[in-house]
Amino acid sequence: MKNSISKFLSLAVFAAVALITSCSSDDDGTFDEVDPSASFVLNRDDFKGELNSGDEVILESGTYKLTGKLIVNDGAILIIKEGVKVEATTVSDATDFAAVRFIAVAKGGKIDVQGTATNPVVMTSSNKTPGAWGGLVVCGKAPINKGVTASAEVSDLEYGGTEPEDNSGTIKYLRLEYTGFAYNSDKEFNGLSLFGVGNGTTIEYVQSYEGSDDAFEWFGGTVNANYLVAFNSHTEVGDDLFDWTQGWTGNGENWYGKRTNAGNRGIEADNNSNNHLATPISNPTIKNITLVGIGETDTSSETQAVKLRVGTKATFDNVVLSNWKTGFDIQHTESIGYVVNGSLIATNVKFDNVTTKSTGKDTAGAAVDVSAFYTEDATATGAGNGAQKPTWANGWTLGL
């Protein structure tokens, strides 16, 4: 009997050691070797800290209280199952920047958000006010035009590199609420911030709801992002729905953006404000997009549906712009030159209650006719249902 027990215990110990010291390695986020020093302790009521190489943390169900910053470092993965809520707790002192709540994926780290249309993952705040917490930041190894690498304006993590197919994981059916914490007027979080993220990453079905800064912003990279929703109605929301800069060259399909407040533009698009010809040049392809504003009642200073400037290129197709004072605003000589040569273009555009369809100015401030930028199509459907909520947004979004 003693021998049988001894053999059983030996086998159990052997199996446990084998499980700890080796896992399969693949893009699904597991690793060949698990670092025996990995020691992240998951606490549902005190969720913060750093995941290091070999850490695989799974949020299974229910609510996790985000009480500080959470960093997913190189070689680590954060997996979030459907229906999970991550709720940022309130910072007692708004000037205590070290206590800001946010989630960031560093270069080489991965996130796997496994929401569904009927049971999305929700990242929110206990304080239901825009700017209550930081949001989600992803940093990758894909090219940018600010340098080979740079430091992210939020999280201070390095981003950029020479790997356009870099993979930072998968994000599906995620709703981000009340994001946009601001350190100051020049440094604030977005809903989803994508710094040099590669096209091996999957981003689909993501909503930014009542974020105080941009809903979605791309800082270079090659990542594709489809089925995005931005909605702002709060009086404290003031920036753009979609924003890109620093050489983003990915694709986007099925975007729906709506604001019912005096916020900023539907899209603000740049190449590089310090060097309009910096490469890689921002040049995304955006298909099936609807942007809805508030029309003539808009008293904000930025009432354009789409502002394209400082040397960005882009290709748009199947566009619906509804209730804006200005449809397309194109600025700076380089971007206007791309209108002339056809590398900045919009086809199949439907204008619905848009006062001025297009306006343009060169770098010197002289007015330029840019109406050649777009072609019209009264039957354009945009994100799928014209100015109305698209059917693919049913069940997992708010506010629409």
Side-chain angles (χ1 to χ4, degrees), residues 246-270:
Q246 296 182 18
W248 179 46
T249 58
N251 300 323
E253 293 190 21
N254 298 299
W255 291 5
Y256 186 86
K258 181 177 182 178
R259 66 175 179 83
T260 61
N261 62 354
N264 276 2
R265 316 163 189 94
I267 291 177
E268 178 183 281
D270 298 343

Side-chain angles (χ1 to χ4, degrees), residues 47 62-68 80 83-90 101-103 120-136 174-180 191 207-211 398:
F47 185 43
T63 300
Y64 295 79
K65 299 289 188 178
L66 186 68
T67 56
I80 309 177
V84 165
K85 178 186 289 187
V86 177
E87 184 178 75
T89 58
T90 301
R101 286 81 162 110
F102 65 91
I103 296 174
V121 170
V122 177
M123 296 182 180
T124 188
S125 172
S126 57
N127 178 5
K128 307 303 183 186
T129 304
W133 71 293
L136 177 59
L174 168 66
R175 190 168 70 242
L176 295 151
E177 303 175 352
Y178 308 108
T179 60
Q207 179 183 20
S208 172
Y209 176 79
E210 303 288 28
L398 291 180

Side-chain angles (χ1 to χ4, degrees), residues 285-307:
T285 296
I286 311 298
K287 295 182 178 180
N288 311 330
I289 178 172
T290 294
L291 300 171
V292 181
I294 60 174
E296 287 300 319
T297 62
D298 196 342
T299 59
S300 67
S301 60
E302 300 289 354
T303 59
Q304 310 97 327
V306 181
K307 188 168 189 173

Side-chain angles (χ1 to χ4, degrees), residues 41-119:
V41 177
L42 178 59
N43 185 336
R44 179 183 293 274
D45 297 316
D46 188 18
F47 185 43
K48 65 181 179 182
E50 299 198 21
L51 280 64
N52 295 310
S53 180
D55 282 335
E56 181 177 294
V57 173
I58 303 175
L59 308 189
E60 291 282 1
S61 62
T63 300
Y64 295 79
K65 299 289 188 178
L66 186 68
T67 56
K69 64 182 179 181
L70 182 83
I71 309 296
V72 184
N73 286 313
D74 186 7
I77 183 169
L78 174 65
I79 300 170
I80 309 177
K81 299 290 188 176
E82 64 177 280
V84 165
K85 178 186 289 187
V86 177
E87 184 178 75
T89 58
T90 301
V91 179
S92 58
D93 180 0
T95 64
D96 183 7
F97 297 147
V100 177
R101 286 81 162 110
F102 65 91
I103 296 174
V105 181
K107 291 170 65 172
K110 286 187 179 181
I111 186 169
D112 184 7
V113 176
Q114 301 177 0
T116 67
T118 56
N119 208 14

